[in-house]
């Protein structure tokens, strides 16, 4: 509104009118956030992949009629930001550590505000003409990595509604590959009939609350001789885990005549008699591709015997450390806890400096991997101490706890606990590492001394140490 110079000459009365006018203009502005104009585009981009008929989520969030009853729940779940239960599932804390992740589905502050305003002003429908064109989906189990070049299906498995936890291996399945290929991206789907099965056991929400019965699965590439391939092909799958797009310079080899082994599977009942199978989707690098770097796992774990969580414990911290034996570019930050875990942090200690690389909420129904963007992925020299800090909540506030009166220790069942960083990285020689640090300094335009979180020898610190 242009009220500049001209309005200086106004009488008191006209100021009053202006005030009323301004209020009148401001009031509808708050209610201006509508489903068709503002909310539907957010839901299409961030929610519909799961919230549509026959997909993983319990309800569809496409039409106004479907969404309206959930307006308050949508506000509540999105406002959780990095806490367990947040929608979309992504619990990275944005106010500490490195920012910049591939395929980050989280909502911006602006989107969070729009959703909150919309829910608080009666969730108005808005002008139907503003509604974005509907998205088209091919099927219930669409791949987030795009259509895979190869899909390998496990043999079927099943589990009774209240069956005890089960550990074991599924039968090995040939990939059918007739040539060596490098894997660029990997995604695992658990396909079951759970949705159509009646709930037979309720109460004490199982950690894999919902449709899933595969708590975790280790999928391994076995060479033509049946022996696991060095480097491994596939990250450990967990309930609710997202897909992996590997570092473009470090594809993983899968050879002609190889098979996939499902060597360490853990199943946990979901309250329904469930039958299903696993589908592994692989996308390949073009033929003739050769990787520049070698992949490596970056694991830090607390000994299970040191995990001691009294009944009713809240905000309990457990830590663990490991020293890097080689130079690492950390490409994926992946906390792994179990039912009692609610938060996790990763620190890097180098020389006299301790930095928090990242913190995130943890929800054992949504075990997520966070892949760093290439230009911020931590460059950690040999000798760096990685420290993990897990935070545990053994109270009813944690919906993954069956009975918070129980003491909990470490172990493999979903209701036992772990404190693990299941990181992925590239191992770099001293020369490769020096080049990577130099490239990072150039990229960031660093000249003098400057702290770069996640790169302790960036910013001129290396030279100083050598002087
Ligand atoms: C990766 C799949 C996925 C995505 C993406 C996703 N959801 Fe969900 N959502 C689920 C599943 C599965 C559940 C049920 C299990 C749970 O509550 O964690 C759920 C539960 C919910 C609930 C609770 C329902 C209830 O009965 O109270 C709300 C609300 C919700 N989602 C809203 C959203 C919104 C809004 C978005 C996008 C901003 C979104 N979700 C994105 C899978 C997803």
């Amino acid at each position: 509104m242009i009220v500049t110079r001209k309005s200086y000459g106004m009488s008191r009365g006209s100021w009053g009118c202006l005030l009323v006018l301004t209020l009148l203009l401001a009031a509808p502005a708050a209610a201006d956030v509508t489903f068709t104009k503002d909310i539907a585009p957010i839901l299409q981009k961030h929610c519909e992949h799961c919230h549509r008929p026959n997909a993983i989520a319990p309800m569809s969030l496409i039409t106004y009629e479907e969404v309206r009853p959930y307006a308050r729940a949508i506000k509540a779940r999105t406002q959780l930001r990095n806490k367990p239960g947040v929608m979309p599932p992504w619990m990275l804390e944005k106010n500490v550590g490195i920012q910049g992740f591939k395929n980050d589905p989280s909502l911006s502050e602006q989107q969070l505000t729009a959703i909150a305003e919309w829910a608080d002003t009666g969730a108005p429908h808005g002008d139907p003409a503003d509604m974005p064109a509907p998205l088209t989906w091919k099927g219930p189990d669409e791949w987030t990595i795009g259509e895979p070049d190869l899909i390998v299906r496990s043999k079927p498995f099943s589990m009774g509604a209240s069956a005890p936890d089960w550990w074991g291996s599924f039968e090995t399945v040939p990939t059918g590959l007739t040539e060596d290929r490098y894997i660029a991206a990997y995604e695992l789907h658990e396909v079951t009939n759970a949705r159509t099965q009646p709930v037979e056991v309720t109460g004490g929400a199982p950690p894999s609350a919902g449709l899933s019965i595969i708590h975790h699965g280790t999928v391994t590439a076995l060479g033509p001789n049946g022996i696991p391939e060095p480097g491994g092909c596939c990250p450990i799958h967990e309930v609710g885990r997202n897909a992996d797009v590997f570092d473009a310079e470090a594809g993983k080899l899968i050879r002609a005549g190889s098979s996939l082994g499902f060597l360490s599977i853990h199943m946990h009942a979901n309250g329904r008699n469930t039958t299903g199978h696993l589908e592994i989707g692989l996308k390949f690098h073009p033929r003739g591709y050769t990787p520049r770097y070698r992949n490596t796992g970056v694991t830090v774990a607390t000994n299970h015997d040191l995990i001691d969580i009294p009944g009713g414990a809240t905000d309990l911290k457990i830590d663990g450390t490991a020293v890097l034996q080689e130079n690492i570019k950390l490409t994926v930050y992946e906390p792994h806890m179990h039912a009692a875990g609610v938060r996790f942090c990763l620190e890097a200690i180098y020389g006299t400096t301790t930095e928090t690389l990242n913190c995130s909420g943890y929800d054992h129904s949504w075990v997520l991997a966070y892949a760093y963007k290439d230009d911020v992925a931590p460059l950690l020299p040999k000798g760096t101490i990685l420290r993990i800090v897990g935070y545990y909540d053994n109270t009813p506030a944690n919906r993954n706890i069956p009975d918070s009166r129980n003491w909990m220790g470490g172990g493999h069942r979903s209701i036992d606990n772990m404190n693990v960083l299941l990181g992925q990285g590239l191992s770099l020689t001293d020369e490769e590492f020096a080049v990577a640090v130099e490239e990072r300094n150039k990229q960031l335009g660093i000249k003098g001394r400057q702290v770069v979180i996640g790169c302790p020898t960036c910013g001129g610190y290396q030279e100083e140490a050598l002087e």
Side-chain angles (χ1 to χ4, degrees):
M1 207 181 356
I2 302 166
V3 286
T4 47
R5 280 191 205 126
K6 265 193 190 162
S7 61
Y8 286 134
M10 282 175 149
S11 68
R12 236 187 229 177
S14 35
W15 273 113
C17 287
L18 188 67
L19 187 67
V20 171
L21 185 70
T22 315
L23 286 176
L24 282 175
L25 287 174
D32 246 347
V33 181
T34 67
F35 175 74
T36 53
K37 179 163 60 67
D38 308 283
I39 304 302
I42 300 176
L43 301 182
Q44 281 194 345
K45 182 146 184 271
H46 296 266
C47 322
E48 202 174 309
H49 173 73
C50 299
H51 287 274
R52 61 196 167 90
N54 297 321
I56 172 180
M59 75 286 192
S60 172
L61 293 178
I62 300 177
T63 65
Y64 181 68
E65 289 67 31
E66 286 168 343
V67 175
R68 179 65 186 85
Y70 288 98
R72 282 164 154 278
I74 289 172
K75 178 188 167 190
R77 289 293 201 111
T78 51
Q79 289 291 330
L80 288 172
R81 288 186 166 78
N82 46 48
K83 300 279 185 314
V86 65
M87 286 287 145
W90 182 267
M91 286 165 269
L92 220 282
E93 293 180 15
K94 293 186 177 176
N95 58 353
V96 64
I98 298 167
Q99 302 299 317
F101 290 87
K102 293 175 183 166
N103 305 322
D104 176 351
S106 65
L107 300 179
S108 65
E109 280 304 312
Q110 212 177 0
Q111 291 171 319
L112 289 172
T113 308
I115 290 175
E117 260 186 50
W118 175 71
D120 291 343
T121 52
H125 180 250
D127 185 348
D130 290 336
M131 188 68 183
L135 301 183
T136 48
W137 301 95
K138 286 190 218 96
D141 268 320
E142 208 148 308
W143 301 88
T144 60
I145 56 171
E147 204 47 47
D149 297 313
L150 177 69
I151 299 174
V152 182
R153 293 178 176 80
S154 76
K155 295 279 159 51
F157 51 78
S158 54
M159 183 156 231
S162 60
D165 281 26
W166 181 91
W167 286 267
S169 300
F170 293 160
E171 210 174 299
T172 295
V173 179
T175 58
L177 274 177
T178 53
E179 54 182 339
D180 292 1
R181 295 301 296 265
Y182 282 94
I183 306 171
Y186 164 90
E187 186 169 344
L188 183 149
H189 284 178
E190 180 184 345
V191 183
T192 73
N193 67 348
R195 179 175 294 285
T196 58
Q197 299 298 103
V199 177
E200 306 210 352
V201 181
T202 53
S208 53
L211 305 172
S212 183
I213 54 173
I214 300 289
H215 160 115
H216 81 235
T218 310
V219 182
T220 312
L222 305 172
N225 50 10
I227 295 171
E229 295 277 41
C233 70
C234 315
I236 297 178
H237 174 72
E238 310 286 343
V239 176
R241 195 179 185 287
N242 42 353
D244 283 78
V245 178
F246 301 126
D247 189 293
E249 296 185 303
K252 298 192 179 202
L253 179 64
I254 184 157
R255 291 195 291 156
S258 59
S259 311
L260 288 189
F262 301 88
L263 301 183
S264 166
I265 304 286
H266 172 198
M267 296 205 290
H268 182 93
N270 65 1
R272 315 171 194 228
N273 292 316
T274 303
T275 300
H277 66 274
L278 296 178
E279 293 192 357
I280 312 295
L282 300 177
K283 277 193 84 93
F284 295 135
H285 284 291
R287 289 187 175 82
Y289 163 94
T290 45
R292 182 176 167 197
Y293 297 119
R294 294 155 308 283
N295 283 287
T296 182
V298 182
T299 306
V300 186
T302 305
N303 184 326
H304 286 182
D305 292 341
L306 298 175
I307 295 180
D308 179 1
I309 307 173
T314 178
D315 209 20
L316 182 84
K317 271 200 250 182
I318 298 175
D319 71 350
T321 49
V323 180
L324 289 183
Q325 304 298 321
E326 45 187 357
N327 306 307
I328 295 288
K329 178 178 174 187
L330 188 67
T331 54
V332 175
Y333 160 76
E334 180 176 348
H336 183 80
M337 306 164 85
H338 277 194
V342 289
R343 185 174 185 242
F344 189 90
C345 291
L346 172 64
E347 296 169 357
I349 303 168
Y350 184 71
T352 53
T353 314
T354 302
E355 352 178 289
T356 300
L357 297 183
N358 281 107
C359 290
S360 53
Y362 186 85
D363 179 341
H364 202 47
S365 293
W366 292 106
V367 181
L368 300 169
Y370 303 94
Y372 292 105
K373 285 192 174 154
D374 295 329
D375 56 348
V376 295
L379 290 169
L380 304 169
K382 195 183 323 188
T384 300
I385 299 170
L386 289 183
R387 176 166 183 260
I388 56 172
V389 186
Y391 294 73
Y392 298 83
D393 184 346
N394 188 10
T395 72
N398 180 351
R399 64 182 181 151
N400 294 325
I401 298 290
D403 187 337
S404 61
R405 292 169 300 181
N406 289 328
W407 171 87
M408 296 177 115
H412 288 275
R413 296 179 306 168
S414 303
I415 55 163
D416 299 322
N417 283 279
M418 291 199 181
N419 191 36
V420 185
L421 171 77
L422 279 178
Q424 298 174 48
L426 311 179
S427 66
L428 306 186
T429 63
D430 290 347
E431 292 73 34
E432 288 170 337
F433 191 77
V435 169
V437 168
E438 199 44 49
E439 280 174 7
R440 183 69 57 86
N441 276 334
K442 271 211 198 96
Q443 218 166 32
L444 297 172
I446 288 177
K447 304 245 158 54
R449 276 186 59 170
Q450 201 173 320
V451 174
V452 180
I453 300 283
C455 186
T457 57
C458 280
Y461 279 84
Q462 180 118 315
E463 289 72 19
E464 190 172 90
L466 293 174
E467 269 164 16

